[in-house]
Structure formats: structure tokens, C-alpha cells
Amino acid sequence: MTGSSFLSTSELPEDYAQLAATVADFARTVVAPVAAEHDAAHTFPYEVVAGMGELGLFGLPIPEEYGGQGGDYFALCLALEELGKVDQSVAITLEAGVSLGAMPILRFGTEEQKRTWLPQLASGRALGAFGLTEPGAGSDASGTKTTARLDGDEWVINGNKQFITNSGTDITALVTVTAVTGTSEAGKKEISTVIVPADTPGFTAEKAYDKVGWNASDTHPLTFADARVPAANLLGERGRGYANFLRTLDEGRIAIAALATGAAQGCVDESVRYAKEREAFGAPIGRNQAIAFKIARMEARAHTARTAYYDAAALMLSGKPFKKQAAIAKLVASEAAMDNARDATQVHGGYGFMNEYSVARHYRDSKILEIGEGTTEVQLMLIAREVGL
């Protein structure tokens, strides 16, 4: 499965369409039936993740020589959209596992690192995480305080990270962390990235967060107290960690946009179904323009979001600059998901406030889409810069 220089929202190439249909069926028959249960219990859906691994979803953009499917990043995005329609927790587990866990190793790792880590990450039997955000440095990633000091042939890591997805599961294999490894000639922080295996002494995934949404997604603060890893665990060139992380986030924003598009579309689908079935004053509520027009606007938002992430993905696959388009896609899609979740809840009335309805879960889940992997304000800043302001 390879990328096209032009991707249409109305007619996908056959291999992409087949993938989307396969994941849609999996989402409907495997993910959806247990989504509410895991959400209510705040439990990680190991059985669902195993099923995604068997389908090859974690290996979609990973070359076959490293145990992957040999596809591309757009294939991953299509899978995320379908999963996002029914369960954002499951979708973000896949997104973070691939985009933030595996892709940095594929993009910047040595051959030995790729052969050591990628086969298990591509299989879904192991998860990787990306330790970037810190308690005192959210959107300002250059404010990193975690340090990695070279002591002989080992890095000694000290510091804290927060809001790290996939970092504390029973199948978490590694966390790649950004850390200050020195000072540049210009006097600025030298930030590098280092692979830290999950069983490293001194590395602790603290108690999981109690979150508003994404309750079946694994998220922890992390502590590093003299955690020692081999010098060979440096990922990419020393001092290039910040630049490499920016590239990782640019790609990740397309994936998050795809997930958000799925959430927005899921709200449309549930609202259409409900508006046809629910009767008031002797007729289905969908016959009322107030409801019909609200759902029409929801559909328009979802379509616009899909068009935006398709455009960004097409540029990325063709090797052209895509930073601005990725930021636009993330901005448009995350706002579409949040707006559609609010409107879907309104369409459902009192039932929309009940957790047994998926639109209630989307209402809680969607807000983080406007925050994670770059806030709405960060996207606006990036877009403004790209247009010359």
C-alpha cells in the first residue's frame, strides 16, 4: 500500500478503501461492544489492542523488513479515523503507539535500534511512548529540564515527564525521552532524545491520571532518578532531539486530525440514527429543521476536517512541505470533533448526558483533541508563521 499524490475524500484507491472497511468492521464488532465497559472501569483494553496487533494496524507504516505491513502514514490515518468513530481511547492508543512510539525510531534510529525495537512495536505485542511534556514545560518544549549526563558508556537520566500516553501498561517496552545533554556553542540547551526501556532501574511510571475522558487510554507522569541506559540508546544525532521532535509532531498532527475526524463523523452517525428513531410530537425529530440543520452542519464539519487531513497527508507522502497543512488539519479537525460532540449531545437531549450513549463519551473525550500534540493556540501560531506573520 503506497501513497498517492492526490487523495480524494469521495473515492479512495481500492487498497485504502479495503483497509478502511476492514477497520470499520473491527471497530463495530470488537471495539464498540466493550468501549463503554472499559471507559467506566478506567481499564486498558488489552484484548482490543491484541486484536489490532493481529490485524497489523500497529505496523501499517512500518517497512516489512522490520516486521511491519510496508504501507504508509495515510493508511494509519484511515485506521485511526475508523476507530475514532467508536472509541477515541482505542484510537489514541494506536496513534501514540505508532506515531510517537515507533515512528521516531524508524525516522531517526540506527539499524540496530530499528531491528531491536520495531518488530515488537509493529506487532502490537509491545507499546512505545514518547516522553516530551514536563510539569513546567507544556507547549514550551524547549523548556525541558530533564537531563541526560554521559557517564562512561551510559546515559544517567534525571527528571520528570507528564501526560505520557502508553507509558505504564503491562506491554510498554520503552519510552523515548527528550533530555538536556549539554550546552551548545551559542549557549543554548542541547536537547537530545534517548530510548529508555521500561524495565530500566530508576525509571518509574507513577500512578495513572484520573482524567475527564480517554479513560481507557493509559496515561502517566514519569520519574527518572539516576536511570542508566547504554550510550547506544541515543536516538538520532546528539543535540538534534528538539528538531526531530518537531518533525514527529508535524506528522502526529495529521494522525490526530484523522482521529478527530473520526470522532466528528461518529457524532454525525449517532445523531442521524437517533434523529430517525426518536419521535416527538408524533414524528421523528429529524423532520424538524432545527435538528436536521444542526446535523447538516455537523456533517459539513466532518467533511471539511477529512479534506484537511487528506490534503496534509498527500503533501507528506509526496515529500513536499506539510507543516502548515498539518497544523490546519489538526486545528480544523479537533474543533470539528468538539463542536460535533456538543451538538450531538444536544440532539440526544437528556439521553446525550447519559454515559450509556457514545455521544456522551465523545463529549468528554473530544476536548483533549484541542490540547494534546499542540494546543489550538499553538496551531494558530504555526499557521500564522507559515503565512509570514
Side-chain angles (χ1 to χ4, degrees), residues 76-94:
L76 171 66
C77 289
L78 288 176
L80 290 171
E81 180 180 348
E82 294 302 330
L83 293 171
K85 291 177 181 179
V86 300
D87 190 348
Q88 292 185 44
S89 287
V90 165
I92 195 59
T93 298
L94 175 62

Side-chain angles (χ1 to χ4, degrees), residues 95-109:
E95 191 278 335
V98 179
S99 178
L100 301 180
M103 293 306 289
I105 296 175
L106 177 63
R107 298 290 189 213
F108 312 115

